[in-house]
Amino acid sequence: MKQGEVNWPYEFPGAHWIDSKEEEVLLDVLRNGSLFRYYGLNDAKYVNAFEEKAKTYYDVKYALGVNSGTGALITCMQALGVGPGSEVIVPSYMWVATIGAVVANNAIPVLCEVDESFCLDPNDLAKKITSKTKLIVPIHMSGCPCDMDAIMEIAKKHKIAVLEDCAQCNGGSYKGRKVGTIGDMGIFSLQLNKNMTSGEGGLIITNDEKLYYKAFALHDMGLIRVNGRLAVPEPYAINWGQGRRMSELCGAIASVQLDKLPAIINNMRNSKNRIKKMLSNVQGFKFRKLYDAAGDSGPFLIMILNSENQAISAANKMKTKGLHNVFRIADYGLHIYYNIPSLVNKVPLSPAGNPWNLSENSESVYTYQKGNCPKSDDLFAHSILLPIPSKLSLEQEKLAVEVIKESLRD
């Protein structure tokens, strides 16, 4: 490392906290000979334990471990009735999996602007509601909660379901309530980049019994389980299963990582707040808007600069000084709607052209090229995102601040 550079770790928040506890439970699963969550050579236990812990941690009635965040999204959308003829409102800043889940259910994604929180803009949301709107998906992007009061008010006015995508904000909260518990359903990802991880994996939470059993049947074999064995549910829940069950290996790690999540978040939030404080008197930028600063889970710092050229220059300088994983948000890959080739080109799921060419979707004609969300486009062009690793030293934080200050100088 050269003088004036910072040795900035890769993010992967939960991965930095892996220790002998994860090792012990993985070995226990292997020795137990029951890698499948419902049966094996001996009794399986870890996915059940993870779900029980999740119900307590998020304070919900129902929790369901699944194979991925993407699987959770697809399952929930189906449980909520999304299909041909449905429009689903998603923010312009997201991860491709959210829009992919809409398309996978043969529905049409409708883009909504983000505001300076980089989350769904309630003012634009109100304008995007149509008679076809089946679902609103607020995404608590880059670790911070959306304006859920305003979003829920609009949803309730129009009697539209809300699915909270909390993949990047696990453990975050909004006005004292954990994200994921405010809408009809909430999903989490446990992929390596997330606040807690099992490498892959996902979680669905809800307080609605019918939605839970629908999701259960969809994620498994189209039925429910009683004592681990398939059983026929009430007719409303019978469906076509998709084999999205969580394995015991993932459940074991997730169960341990959930215990560590409060500490992981506390570390990231404290690092982020110290960095922000040290930058508070620096000119030439402002921080993203926060609807609930106390509910910020802390994994990312977003800076809104005065111009696109300044953002490009500053991001490049930061990279050369050791902040290797900083991004100008416009260049942030599949997080930006116009960077998703399959969306821009309306790539169909099959040669039949679905969902775009389905007769049920004939009235839902939208385009997705850059320019469809001009307010968002402007924000993306002159904003920078810096991941906040979960085990930073005070020296690393101070060095990062010096690098940021130097990079912002004209």
Side-chain angles (χ1 to χ4, degrees), residues 212-392:
Y212 169 73
Y213 282 116
K214 283 182 180 181
F216 191 104
L218 285 160
H219 106 292
D220 196 359
M221 300 303 296
L223 305 174
I224 62 169
R225 299 247 177 191
V226 176
N227 296 324
R229 297 297 177 177
L230 290 168
V232 178
E234 294 293 320
Y236 74 83
I238 298 173
N239 216 305
W240 291 103
Q242 300 166 358
R244 302 187 189 279
R245 297 173 297 268
M246 175 177 277
S247 76
E248 275 289 277
L249 290 167
C250 284
I253 298 178
S255 183
V256 171
Q257 286 260 305
L258 185 56
D259 292 336
K260 298 178 179 181
L261 183 58
I264 295 170
I265 291 171
N266 189 58
N267 265 33
M268 292 190 295
R269 187 188 292 129
N270 287 343
S271 286
K272 179 177 177 177
N273 287 339
R274 284 191 293 265
I275 291 169
K276 287 179 71 174
K277 185 175 181 180
M278 286 186 278
L279 291 170
S280 60
N281 295 322
V282 178
Q283 303 298 310
F285 80 100
K286 60 183 176 181
F287 296 113
R288 74 188 292 187
K289 181 178 182 178
L290 298 178
Y291 284 109
D292 185 347
D296 177 4
S297 63
F300 296 96
L301 178 70
I302 294 181
M303 297 172 280
I304 304 172
L305 281 66
N306 292 333
S307 72
E308 179 175 0
N309 287 338
Q310 185 191 18
I312 294 171
S313 173
N316 289 336
K317 289 177 181 178
M318 289 181 200
K319 284 181 182 291
T320 64
K321 291 290 186 177
L323 296 178
H324 52 88
N325 47 0
V326 72
F327 280 94
R328 186 175 69 110
I329 291 183
D331 304 319
Y332 199 28
L334 300 180
H335 292 90
I336 306 300
Y337 73 94
Y338 56 73
N339 288 339
I340 304 172
S342 49
L343 177 65
V344 171
N345 297 307
K346 295 185 179 179
V347 174
L349 292 172
S350 77
N354 56 312
W356 318 104
N357 292 344
L358 291 175
S359 59
E360 294 92 338
N361 294 330
S362 61
E363 297 176 18
S364 300
V365 181
Y366 298 92
T367 57
Y368 305 100
Q369 293 86 358
K370 185 176 181 179
N372 278 277
C373 293
K375 179 179 176 181
S376 301
D377 295 351
D378 183 57
L379 275 173
F380 299 155
H382 60 91
S383 298
I384 290 175
L385 175 139
L386 175 67
I388 303 296
S390 60
K391 281 195 173 181
L392 287 175

Side-chain angles (χ1 to χ4, degrees), residues 14-28 197 249 252-258 260 264:
H16 288 288
W17 292 70
I18 292 173
D19 57 26
S20 60
K21 291 181 180 178
E22 284 88 350
E23 181 180 2
E24 288 168 10
V25 295
L26 281 179
L27 288 173
D28 188 45
T197 185
L249 290 167
I253 298 178
S255 183
V256 171
Q257 286 260 305
L258 185 56
K260 298 178 179 181
I264 295 170

Side-chain angles (χ1 to χ4, degrees), residues 94-295:
M94 55 28 232
W95 177 239
V96 61
T98 310
I99 283 184
V102 178
V103 174
N105 281 304
N106 279 301
I108 300 297
V110 177
L111 294 170
C112 182
E113 297 272 20
V114 296
D115 58 22
E116 289 193 351
S117 70
F118 288 81
C119 295
L120 199 69
D121 181 353
N123 293 319
D124 194 48
L125 171 63
K127 300 173 186 176
K128 297 295 171 70
I129 304 289
T130 75
S131 61
K132 297 278 189 178
T133 306
K134 184 71 174 180
L135 180 66
I136 298 167
V137 186
I139 307 178
H140 305 292
M141 278 300 292
S142 300
C144 296
C146 301
D147 183 358
M148 290 305 297
D149 283 346
I151 291 168
M152 293 305 297
E153 182 179 351
I154 293 167
K156 288 176 181 177
K157 176 182 177 181
H158 295 278
K159 298 180 180 179
I160 298 169
V162 173
L163 169 61
E164 292 179 73
D165 183 338
C166 315
Q168 294 193 6
C169 195
N170 200 347
S173 61
Y174 178 78
K175 297 186 176 180
R177 297 176 65 183
K178 288 284 195 302
V179 295
T181 68
I182 302 164
D184 296 271
M185 304 181 85
I187 73 96
F188 301 86
S189 169
L190 307 181
Q191 190 264 348
L192 186 63
N193 292 323
K194 306 308 186 287
N195 289 355
M196 58 170 280
T197 185
S198 54
E200 276 287 8
L203 178 69
I204 296 168
I205 59 173
T206 185
N207 284 308
D208 187 301
E209 182 181 77
K210 287 189 174 181
L211 289 176
Y212 169 73
Y213 282 116
K214 283 182 180 181
F216 191 104
L218 285 160
H219 106 292
D220 196 359
M221 300 303 296
L223 305 174
I224 62 169
R225 299 247 177 191
V226 176
N227 296 324
R229 297 297 177 177
L230 290 168
V232 178
E234 294 293 320
Y236 74 83
I238 298 173
N239 216 305
W240 291 103
Q242 300 166 358
R244 302 187 189 279
R245 297 173 297 268
M246 175 177 277
S247 76
E248 275 289 277
L249 290 167
C250 284
I253 298 178
S255 183
V256 171
Q257 286 260 305
L258 185 56
D259 292 336
K260 298 178 179 181
L261 183 58
I264 295 170
I265 291 171
N266 189 58
N267 265 33
M268 292 190 295
R269 187 188 292 129
N270 287 343
S271 286
K272 179 177 177 177
N273 287 339
R274 284 191 293 265
I275 291 169
K276 287 179 71 174
K277 185 175 181 180
M278 286 186 278
L279 291 170
S280 60
N281 295 322
V282 178
Q283 303 298 310
F285 80 100
K286 60 183 176 181
F287 296 113
R288 74 188 292 187
K289 181 178 182 178
L290 298 178
Y291 284 109
D292 185 347

Side-chain angles (χ1 to χ4, degrees), residues 17-58:
W17 292 70
I18 292 173
D19 57 26
S20 60
K21 291 181 180 178
E22 284 88 350
E23 181 180 2
E24 288 168 10
V25 295
L26 281 179
L27 288 173
D28 188 45
V29 172
L30 294 174
R31 290 166 181 155
N32 198 40
S34 300
L35 280 68
F36 182 60
R37 71 162 295 182
Y38 291 115
Y39 52 80
L41 300 181
N42 294 286
D43 290 339
K45 57 187 176 182
Y46 284 106
V47 179
N48 284 338
F50 171 55
E51 291 171 346
E52 290 302 314
K53 285 183 181 181
K55 286 190 284 187
T56 299
Y57 179 76
Y58 301 102

